[in-house]
Amino acid sequence: MTAGLVSIALCTYNGAGYLKEQLDTLIAQTYPDLEIVAVDDCSKDDTAAILHDYAARHPRLKVHFNTDNLGYTKNFEKAISLCTGDYIALCDQDDIWDKNKISVMVELIGDSILAYHDSE
């Protein structure tokens, strides 16, 4: 049973070294109703190419590219504004997620407006 669409807001900036492994863990999430909204903040490495490649193969991944560098906070604000889900999960570009992370978080949020967990 799902509680509605969950958006994963992913911000990237020169994260090519970590991005493939991280995207693999986001795409492998067991929660069935999710979108991944990635916003790149003018990376100068291979981040954009990796995002394009994954988006071409995974329709749940939507990518956006800033024309000006917004910085960490403003980039997350933009990513959140592009999310359409009932819930939003924030994701740094070097996170590696357990495949059940979103399922567990949705199950545990209940009537709360926010759920938080440590890195374990």
Side-chain angles (χ1 to χ4, degrees):
M1 179 173 159
T2 64
L5 180 66
V6 173
S7 298
I8 299 173
L10 165 63
C11 290
T12 61
Y13 178 72
N14 292 339
Y18 308 97
L19 193 54
K20 289 179 183 179
E21 185 177 8
Q22 186 227 17
L23 287 170
D24 288 342
T25 68
L26 300 183
I27 290 163
Q29 290 297 300
T30 59
Y31 189 79
D33 194 12
L34 64 85
E35 69 175 357
I36 304 163
V37 178
V39 181
D40 183 68
D41 204 17
C42 302
S43 292
K44 294 172 177 58
D45 64 0
D46 290 333
T47 297
I50 293 167
L51 289 171
H52 279 300
D53 176 58
Y54 272 74
R57 294 183 286 126
H58 302 284
R60 297 192 302 179
L61 173 60
K62 300 169 178 86
V63 296
H64 304 269
F65 298 93
N66 295 337
T67 56
D68 296 306
N69 184 280
L70 301 179
Y72 183 82
T73 301
K74 293 288 185 193
N75 199 34
F76 262 110
E77 289 174 3
K78 181 175 180 179
I80 291 166
S81 76
L82 294 167
C83 291
T84 63
D86 301 302
Y87 298 99
I88 299 173
L90 304 181
C91 185
D92 287 320
Q93 68 184 8
D94 60 350
D95 290 351
I96 304 299
W97 285 10
D98 183 271
K99 67 180 180 177
N100 297 318
K101 175 183 170 125
I102 296 297
S103 294
V104 169
M105 296 297 288
V106 168
E107 179 182 326
L108 295 176
I109 196 167
D111 293 331
S112 300
I113 61 168
L114 177 71
Y116 173 79
H117 63 87
D118 64 20
S119 61
E120 292 297 320

